[in-house]
Amino acid sequence: MIAEPNTASNLPSQKENAVHDDTVPESAVQNGSCVRNGNLKTPREKRKVQNQCENIRRNSSSSRRASQLQSGEVVEAVTLFEVVNIGKRAMQSVVDDWIEAYKQDRNVALLDLINFFIQCSGCQGMVTAEMIQSLHKKDVMRKMTETFDEETGLQYKKFMVYPWILTVTWPVDMDNEDYPLIRTGPYWKKFKANFCEFIAVLVQQCQCSILYDSYFMNAIISLLTDLADSMVRAFRHTSTLAAMKLLTAIVSIHLNLDVNKHNAQRLYEVEKKRISGKRTNYRLDQLDRKRKEYEHKLLEIQNMMNAIFKGTFLNRYCDVIPEIRATCIEEFGSWIKTYPDAFLNDNYLKYIGWMLYDKQAEVRLKCLLGLQGIYSRRELVSRMDLFTSRFKDRIVSMPLDKDHEVAVQAMKLLMLMSQNCEDVLSTEDCETLYQFVYTTHRPLAVAAGEFLYKRLLSREGDEEVQPKGGGKFGASTDQLKRLIHFFLESELHKHVAYLVDSLWDWAGKFLKDWECMTTLLLKNAEEDGEALSDAHESALIEIILATVREAAEGHPPVGRGAAKKILSVKEKKIQLEDCTKITEHFIMVLPQLLAKYSTDAQKVANLLQIPQYYDLDVYSTGRLEKHLDALLRELKDIVAKHSDMSVLEASSRTYYILCSEEIAIYSQVDRARTQLIDELMGQLNQLLDGFWQKEEEFCTDAGEISQMHSALRRVAAFHNAHDLTKWNLYEKTLRLLVFEIEHGSLPVLMILPALQCTYFSLLWQLAAVLENPPKETLFALRRELRRFSQICMSFLQHKEKDVREKTFVILCDWLLILSHQDSNNSKEAVGLLDYPPSTSLQEKLLLFIQEHVFMEEEDESKDLTEEEERKDESCKLDDLHRKRSLLAAYCKLIVYNVIEMTAAAEIYKYYVKTYNYFGDIIKETLSKTRHNNKIQSAKTLILCLQQLFQTCAERQDSSSGVDLSSASFTNMKELARRFSLTFGWDQVKSRESVAMIHKEGIEFAFQGATGVDGRCLPPNLSFLLIIIEFSNKLLKPDKRLVYFHFPESIFEDMGM
């Protein structure tokens, strides 16, 4: 159906696309012109004309034959289409050959060019022509038709290309929307580029010869205009692209002619003044003729431009095919940039403004790119006032576009408008656009970061600003203060990493000015009356931490970007330099900052995260051990002052980082750590001794409970990262848990950290098991593992909700660890320590999830103030986060085969009902289990639907079956539809799963089909309406197999 290059048969990648010689459009000769005469009657006359045509065509094309050596064979390109399709490099020589052929016989060459455009449309049909001189106007109009011949199955299009009426004949199946311009792959991409280049070179080479002969361009414009009106998409698309590229080339010629005309006019005036008072001479006459010649050519070019614009652009810029609309708008933007004097006015700009509302992202994108070319030139912006006022609101809304690339380009356009148009964006517009720095799509966030930096943070004259105190951080200080103010005003305090990442490409210089930032923090109010407030200090510390992380890690924060990017050599070098700069600066400054903010938990927790990005060798190579001592002193003081878990965990992690055995400072840090833990354990032992002496009395003393809580939390935080086995912590905390089980009087503040300490102790013991440990050690550890598991199972029914939830998470992680021990351990150790969950434990875990995650809580409606509503909303979010953590912990057990996959059926029941809250977790569980075992995963899905169906039937208790109009049945169908969508578009990949669902579903639907008289309808028959939601995923061969799963009696009753 589509004409492929004849050379394709010799190309390995194009063997399937080879065509026969009979697909090449033919032409015939009449009176020396290459036309096919529709009045020829006899076959002999037709053969004679055809042979003449072939001879002339080959003779006229012989000078442009292109030869290429492909696979050892020489391929000759005869027609223009073949030359362009092969991709001959010397496109100019091809065009020059055609021009020479045109000068020899313009009809032959012109019809050759017409055939080229028809073939580029992918048409294998025949082009015939008849002369127009003998026809009246009414006859001509009657022939301008596009019809379908039902007898031959061919479609005809007749149109006028003066002095002929051309008839294009093609098979009707050409409408299957497959033609060169829309084909994918590098081959066809190159063809499109060659096609566009050919048109541009053709016009360029013709401008000094045949462009103004009132024959060549009239014929081509007429051809492309008529083809662009065709109902066939291939003709319409190809001719529109050709017409737009033709107009682009003509616009360039018009611009050159305009320049030449002005130069000729100036020379004429100079020459005229020089010979004023004398008779005109030959030079003046020559310049006058040249000036008039340019004027005549300009008039011709303008007529061509108007003909193409009105005949093609105005009809096709709103075509139903988005590719055609995009082509029109793309070229329209280039016309405006190339020749603004002609096109940059409101009569033309309205078209690009209207297409900003197009439904297709590709068209909107071309509009934005075209406008960027205009707004980037300040001299053109003054002519855009009316357009800007009319379409500004639309452009401001486009960063919210659902297409990411459109949103990015819209933000870049707004950046240009902000720079080159004074006061075009209001304060409200800018504040809206600033917030895009927090979006998860990084290109859009970076574009918004540029807008924020250039519009708000970086102002002209900042570099010349000198601080009042004579310091060196004037410009950076002002920018930092503006950034802090913006961050606080945005009220999105947890997203500082996103803000810094958005600004990194544009404001990296001042964001890496850590000396300025820390100087601003350490500055006292007495020294400078403009010291930062507490909120500003907290914000600045968060910014410091985010900038340090961005510089040290070199990739976007979590949630912005699919994966860590691979750094180039240059980027790695910058990263190492930044790490060294961070280390050298903060080694000396961090102890001072910790000393100043030692009582502020939030500030300290953020500051203590900085050492993880240190190059720790700098301590020894730079002889900075005294600063290490200062840091360790501050750490010890902070641990003693705080019981906040975030601070304690940050302190513990800092000790862990500094205690790396490979570095020289290990012994120094290890001594400090051991001394600190000795003190912590001493305090805990003292409190425990007092507890065991008082017991019940101890639990009623709030002060002692608080001290015990703080001591246990400190030890738990350190036990998480450090092995405290030699302090025998396990026995002490286990005794507390046993006491709680027996008496049930311990406060929650003591139970939670004690539970954590016991859990960490067992993990460290498990990690310490060597490849060949003594059996006594293994049996002892196994006994303790079982004992702790029983304690956790007991705590699942604890009266306190916090204890139950903490125990559930620990138990899930515990089972996962025991089921996936390191393969390096001995088989004997793995066998003894393995702890598969029992059936009763699995039931308890599932019941816990149903009660604590999926059970709906009553929402008490109260008249709350605005502050109370905010707090209530915050509590709901925290509660949702807690539920998601519980569900994720349980789903991990299913994914890693710790518990049976069928347990997921109970979770899948809530997929639709709780989609907004837990849909992502359930969907990921479904995906992972399907990856593990396709068949078992499919059985779990069908089991879920079967259980829901049975529950629905039991509730309705109807002898006639399930009510198909009930809400529960509708919900089941929706759930099945959602399950079906998870299989995606690859039917082959999901073939086995879908077939299994149909098999299991049909068997379930026909259970109990035989009654007393053998004619009883199956009670579950309506379940087939649920299974049908998966039927669109069946392959054709599998549909026959599904047919055989139905009972034979069904077809016997139907007479089949």
Side-chain angles (χ1 to χ4, degrees):
M1 178 196 59
I2 304 301
E4 300 281 354
N6 288 344
T7 61
S9 59
N10 298 310
L11 291 171
S13 61
Q14 299 290 334
K15 286 183 178 179
E16 297 179 359
N17 297 328
V19 298
H20 303 289
D21 292 338
D22 57 0
T23 63
V24 178
E26 299 177 348
S27 30
V29 174
Q30 175 186 357
N31 299 328
S33 300
C34 186
V35 296
R36 187 176 182 99
N37 195 322
N39 299 322
L40 295 177
K41 302 297 182 181
T42 66
R44 183 178 180 182
E45 290 175 328
K46 293 181 179 179
R47 281 197 303 271
K48 181 179 179 181
V49 171
Q50 182 176 353
N51 292 334
Q52 291 174 343
C53 172
E54 293 299 320
N55 293 332
I56 292 177
R57 182 169 63 85
R58 285 181 171 84
N59 291 334
S60 64
S61 304
S62 60
S63 61
R64 67 166 181 274
R65 294 188 179 186
S67 299
Q68 290 189 352
L69 187 63
Q70 300 180 11
S71 304
E73 299 182 13
V74 176
V75 179
E76 283 196 347
V78 178
T79 65
L80 281 174
F81 174 76
E82 291 166 352
V83 172
V84 173
N85 212 355
I86 288 174
K88 187 180 177 184
R89 295 179 181 177
M91 191 69 70
Q92 186 170 342
S93 63
V94 175
V95 172
D96 290 341
D97 291 344
W98 182 86
I99 293 175
E100 289 300 321
Y102 180 89
K103 291 178 180 178
Q104 294 176 13
D105 192 327
R106 64 184 185 181
N107 287 336
V108 172
L110 197 55
L111 277 176
D112 203 4
L113 185 60
I114 291 171
N115 274 321
F116 165 73
F117 287 117
I118 298 298
Q119 286 181 290
C120 287
S121 300
C123 180
Q124 290 185 358
M126 183 180 297
V127 181
T128 61
E130 56 187 284
M131 301 301 289
I132 196 176
Q133 285 87 341
S134 61
L135 299 176
H136 297 290
K137 185 175 181 180
K138 290 183 179 180
D139 297 329
V140 172
M141 297 306 296
R142 190 167 57 250
K143 288 180 175 288
M144 303 300 105
T145 58
E146 185 168 327
T147 59
F148 170 62
D149 189 338
E150 295 183 359
E151 294 182 1
T152 62
L154 297 176
Q155 202 151 346
Y156 299 88
K157 178 174 177 62
K158 291 189 177 183
F159 52 94
M160 183 177 68
V161 178
Y162 189 83
W164 308 296
I165 296 176
L166 296 181
T167 303
V168 183
T169 308
W170 69 93
V172 72
D173 62 349
M174 185 181 165
D175 282 331
N176 72 346
E177 299 183 354
D178 183 20
Y179 53 95
L181 289 186
I182 64 170
R183 291 179 185 170
T184 57
Y187 181 85
W188 296 109
K189 184 177 181 181
K190 183 180 178 182
F191 167 79
K192 183 178 180 180
N194 291 338
F195 177 70
C196 297
E197 182 188 359
F198 174 80
I199 296 172
V201 174
L202 177 65
V203 176
Q204 182 182 5
Q205 295 301 105
C206 292
Q207 63 177 321
C208 298
S209 54
I210 63 175
L211 191 67
Y212 309 101
D213 67 352
S214 300
Y215 188 85
F216 163 62
M217 286 303 294
N218 288 348
I220 296 303
I221 293 174
S222 176
L223 168 73
L224 296 178
T225 301
D226 281 324
L227 283 179
D229 286 334
S230 173
M231 292 185 293
V232 179
R233 171 179 174 173
F235 288 151
R236 206 164 67 249
H237 188 182
T238 307
S239 59
T240 301
L241 175 63
M244 296 300 100
K245 290 295 181 181
L246 186 67
L247 182 51
T248 301
I250 292 174
V251 167
S252 298
I253 292 177
H254 189 286
L255 187 62
N256 294 332
L257 283 175
D258 197 39
V259 173
N260 293 337
K261 175 196 166 186
H262 286 297
N263 292 338
Q265 181 68 30
R266 278 201 313 273
L267 289 174
Y268 175 79
E269 292 174 356
V270 170
E271 184 68 19
K272 189 175 182 179
K273 288 180 181 179
R274 190 176 67 82
I275 62 171
S276 60
K278 302 178 183 179
R279 290 184 301 174
T280 59
N281 61 2
Y282 173 76
R283 169 68 175 166
L284 188 62
D285 292 340
Q286 186 181 28
L287 290 174
D288 186 45
R289 287 195 301 272
K290 197 71 173 175
R291 178 172 59 87
K292 291 180 179 179
E293 178 185 350
Y294 284 136
E295 291 177 352
H296 174 71
K297 287 183 176 181
L298 277 173
L299 183 60
E300 289 283 334
I301 290 293
Q302 288 173 357
N303 291 336
M304 297 176 195
M305 290 167 56
N306 290 334
I308 298 175
F309 187 84
K310 294 178 180 178
T312 304
F313 178 86
L314 290 184
N315 294 328
R316 299 277 71 83
Y317 85 96
C318 53
D319 194 279
V320 295
I321 305 301
E323 290 89 346
I324 297 177
R325 301 199 300 272
T327 298
C328 292
I329 295 301
E330 181 179 14
E331 297 304 315
F332 182 72
S334 70
W335 305 336
I336 297 177
K337 287 183 287 185
T338 304
Y339 196 20
D341 291 341
F343 289 97
L344 190 58
N345 59 66
D346 297 323
N347 289 331
Y348 288 104
L349 286 173
K350 62 184 179 182
Y351 300 112
I352 200 169
W354 290 341
M355 300 311 289
L356 287 171
Y357 297 89
D358 195 275
K359 293 182 179 180
Q360 293 295 324
E362 181 184 4
V363 181
R364 300 194 298 272
L365 180 62
K366 298 300 182 184
C367 292
L368 293 171
L369 293 175
L371 290 172
Q372 286 178 16
I374 301 172
Y375 280 101
S376 61
R377 297 167 60 179
R378 191 178 290 272
E379 70 274 10
L380 301 181
V381 171
S382 59
R383 310 186 200 177
M384 300 286 291
D385 292 341
L386 182 59
F387 177 88
T388 302
S389 62
R390 184 174 180 182
F391 294 103
K392 184 204 74 172
D393 292 341
R394 170 58 182 162
I395 298 173
V396 170
S397 70
M398 291 185 77
L400 290 170
D401 197 283
K402 62 182 180 181
D403 184 86
H404 289 318
E405 186 61 25
V406 172
V408 172
Q409 298 304 327
M411 184 62 72
K412 291 181 178 180
L413 174 59
L414 289 164
M415 179 71 250
L416 294 173
M417 293 173 66
S418 174
Q419 288 178 327
N420 297 325
C421 302
E422 295 182 3
D423 302 326
V424 67
L425 298 177
S426 64
T427 304
E428 292 76 13
D429 294 334
C430 292
E431 289 177 354
T432 301
L433 297 173
Y434 292 155
Q435 299 305 315
F436 284 96
V437 295
Y438 295 109
T439 186
T440 55
H441 183 59
R442 191 171 192 273
L444 177 58
V446 170
E450 179 188 11
F451 185 84
L452 173 64
Y453 177 70
K454 294 182 178 179
R455 179 86 183 189
L456 183 65
L457 303 181
S458 178
R459 297 176 180 173
E460 294 183 3
D462 273 352
E463 297 297 329
E464 290 75 24
V465 172
Q466 295 296 327
K468 296 180 181 179
K472 57 180 178 179
F473 305 117
S476 295
T477 300
D478 290 340
Q479 289 180 345
L480 274 174
K481 289 182 177 179
R482 289 196 286 268
L483 177 60
I484 293 169
H485 180 73
F486 167 76
F487 177 53
L488 294 175
E489 288 292 320
S490 64
E491 297 182 355
L492 294 168
H493 298 177
K494 295 182 180 180
H495 297 80
V496 64
Y498 278 26
L499 173 61
V500 168
D501 181 61
S502 301
L503 292 168
W504 195 254
D505 293 347
W506 309 104
K509 183 178 179 181
F510 95 85
L511 288 177
K512 293 181 183 179
D513 195 351
W514 294 295
E515 186 179 358
C516 172
M517 297 181 189
T518 53
T519 302
L520 200 58
L521 284 174
L522 294 171
K523 188 180 295 183
N524 295 323
E526 292 78 12
E527 300 175 6
D528 189 351
E530 298 181 0
L532 299 178
S533 64
D534 181 70
H536 284 68
E537 287 177 338
S538 298
L540 181 54
I541 290 173
E542 290 185 45
I543 292 172
I544 290 174
L545 176 59
T547 55
V548 167
R549 188 208 64 79
E550 185 88 17
E553 295 183 353
H555 60 80
V558 176
R560 179 178 283 178
K564 295 182 179 180
K565 67 176 183 180
I566 300 175
L567 301 179
S568 63
V569 175
K570 182 179 179 181
E571 289 173 332
K572 287 182 179 179
K573 182 181 179 182
I574 294 174
Q575 184 183 22
L576 292 174
E577 292 175 353
D578 289 340
C579 284
T580 303
K581 182 180 177 182
I582 290 168
T583 306
E584 292 175 348
H585 177 69
F586 283 99
I587 275 179
M588 294 180 286
V589 174
L590 185 59
Q592 302 175 40
L593 293 172
L594 291 174
K596 180 176 181 179
Y597 301 109
S598 61
T599 57
D600 192 316
Q602 181 185 359
K603 294 187 179 73
V604 168
N606 287 326
L607 289 171
L608 285 176
Q609 295 181 54
I610 295 176
Q612 64 182 300
Y613 304 108
Y614 281 3
D615 178 6
L616 296 176
D617 291 329
V618 174
Y619 273 115
S620 54
T621 57
R623 297 183 179 181
L624 301 172
E625 288 82 359
K626 63 177 183 179
H627 296 290
L628 177 60
D629 288 334
L631 176 61
L632 294 174
R633 284 196 302 271
E634 295 300 330
L635 275 173
K636 183 179 179 181
D637 183 56
I638 288 169
V639 172
K641 286 181 180 178
H642 292 275
S643 61
D644 185 88
M645 209 60 191
S646 62
V647 176
L648 295 175
E649 287 177 349
S651 302
S652 175
R653 180 170 177 79
T654 303
Y655 274 107
Y656 175 78
I657 293 167
L658 296 175
C659 278
S660 178
E661 296 183 3
E662 293 81 11
I663 59 177
I665 62 173
Y666 169 72
S667 58
Q668 182 180 356
V669 180
D670 185 52
R671 285 195 301 271
R673 179 184 62 176
T674 303
Q675 182 182 0
L676 174 62
I677 295 175
D678 282 338
E679 293 180 5
L680 295 178
M681 289 302 301
Q683 295 172 6
L684 179 61
N685 290 333
Q686 184 179 356
L687 290 169
L688 285 173
D689 291 340
F691 171 76
W692 296 120
Q693 291 175 5
K694 300 180 182 179
E695 290 189 359
E696 297 296 337
E697 296 179 7
F698 186 95
C699 295
T700 60
D701 190 331
E704 292 184 344
I705 291 175
S706 177
Q707 291 179 15
M708 178 70 79
H709 171 66
S710 299
L712 284 170
R713 293 189 79 174
R714 291 189 182 99
V715 173
F718 274 83
H719 207 0
N720 188 10
H722 308 272
D723 187 3
L724 308 185
T725 305
K726 64 180 182 179
W727 280 275
N728 196 23
L729 181 62
Y730 174 72
E731 295 295 336
K732 298 178 176 65
T733 54
L734 183 65
R735 187 179 175 187
L736 285 174
L737 299 180
V738 173
F739 178 84
E740 168 62 16
I741 292 175
E742 294 175 352
H743 298 84
S745 58
L746 279 182
V748 177
L749 294 177
M750 290 177 60
I751 298 174
L752 294 178
L755 190 63
Q756 275 190 310
C757 286
T758 309
Y759 172 57
F760 292 147
S761 296
L762 284 175
L763 287 181
W764 281 108
Q765 292 181 46
L766 191 63
V769 175
L770 303 176
E771 293 184 2
N772 296 305
K775 281 191 176 182
E776 295 77 9
T777 304
L778 288 176
F779 279 116
L781 181 56
R782 180 186 181 186
R783 185 171 57 254
E784 295 304 325
L785 296 180
R786 300 295 189 272
R787 188 179 181 186
F788 180 69
S789 298
Q790 292 298 323
I791 291 173
C792 289
M793 291 177 64
S794 176
F795 277 174
L796 284 178
Q797 284 82 36
H798 197 275
K799 59 184 179 181
E800 294 291 341
K801 182 180 178 182
D802 291 341
V803 175
R804 295 196 302 270
E805 293 181 349
K806 187 68 176 178
T807 303
F808 179 84
V809 173
I810 288 177
L811 187 57
C812 288
D813 291 343
W814 183 241
L815 292 172
L816 188 62
I817 292 169
L818 293 180
S819 301
H820 293 75
Q821 297 178 51
D822 192 349
S823 59
N824 293 327
N825 292 345
S826 65
K827 293 183 178 180
E828 185 179 10
V830 172
L832 286 173
L833 300 179
D834 189 25
Y835 184 68
S838 62
T839 304
S840 61
L841 177 56
Q842 293 187 39
E843 292 175 353
K844 289 182 179 179
L845 293 175
L846 179 57
L847 181 62
F848 184 92
I849 285 294
Q850 291 174 330
E851 292 178 351
H852 289 74
V853 176
F854 295 118
M855 185 175 290
E856 296 182 1
E857 298 179 359
E858 295 183 1
D859 188 12
E860 298 180 2
S861 57
K862 298 180 180 179
D863 294 332
L864 303 176
T865 63
E866 185 176 347
E867 183 66 25
E868 290 174 339
E869 286 182 357
R870 190 180 296 111
K871 290 181 179 180
D872 183 60
E873 191 67 27
S874 177
C875 291
K876 288 181 179 179
L877 289 175
D878 292 340
D879 186 56
L880 176 60
H881 177 70
R882 191 163 55 249
K883 288 181 178 181
R884 286 174 59 85
S885 300
L886 295 174
L887 180 60
Y890 181 75
C891 288
K892 280 192 293 185
L893 299 181
I894 299 173
V895 169
Y896 292 103
N897 300 316
V898 179
I899 60 178
E900 296 178 2
M901 193 183 294
T902 52
E906 293 293 334
I907 304 297
Y908 296 159
K909 293 177 183 179
Y910 301 95
Y911 180 50
V912 175
K913 187 177 181 181
T914 62
Y915 184 81
N916 292 333
Y917 303 120
F918 312 116
D920 56 335
I921 299 175
I922 299 175
K923 188 175 182 180
E924 185 66 16
T925 303
L926 201 159
S927 175
K928 294 290 185 182
T929 53
R930 183 176 295 154
H931 177 75
N932 295 339
N933 191 324
K934 293 181 181 179
I935 300 300
Q936 189 60 36
S937 176
K939 289 183 177 180
T940 304
L941 291 181
I942 199 66
L943 176 62
C944 171
L945 295 171
Q946 288 171 358
Q947 290 176 352
L948 286 173
F949 187 87
Q950 289 175 334
T951 304
C952 179
E954 291 171 1
R955 287 179 180 174
Q956 294 181 8
D957 193 20
S958 174
S959 58
S960 59
V962 177
D963 183 6
L964 303 184
S965 62
S966 63
S968 57
F969 188 82
T970 304
N971 293 336
M972 272 189 288
K973 282 184 65 66
E974 175 62 18
L975 180 60
R977 188 185 71 84
R978 295 286 190 95
F979 285 161
S980 174
L981 292 175
T982 61
F983 286 105
W985 295 102
D986 191 346
Q987 291 179 297
V988 176
K989 187 177 180 180
S990 59
R991 180 179 185 179
E992 297 177 358
S993 301
V994 175
M996 177 57 67
I997 287 175
H998 282 81
K999 177 180 178 297
E1000 295 284 332
I1002 292 170
E1003 291 178 356
F1004 176 77
F1006 286 95
Q1007 284 179 1
T1010 304
V1012 177
D1013 56 355
R1015 296 290 180 180
C1016 180
L1017 284 176
N1020 302 332
L1021 187 61
S1022 55
F1023 189 74
L1024 292 176
L1025 295 175
I1026 304 295
I1027 300 304
I1028 202 173
E1029 296 292 339
F1030 297 90
S1031 297
N1032 63 334
K1033 301 295 181 181
L1034 280 172
L1035 293 174
K1036 287 185 177 180
D1038 293 336
K1039 291 180 180 180
R1040 292 186 177 182
L1041 296 176
V1042 168
Y1043 173 83
F1044 292 109
H1045 292 312
F1046 286 90
E1048 295 181 2
S1049 58
I1050 299 298
F1051 303 105
E1052 292 175 359
D1053 294 341
M1054 297 174 63
M1056 296 177 64

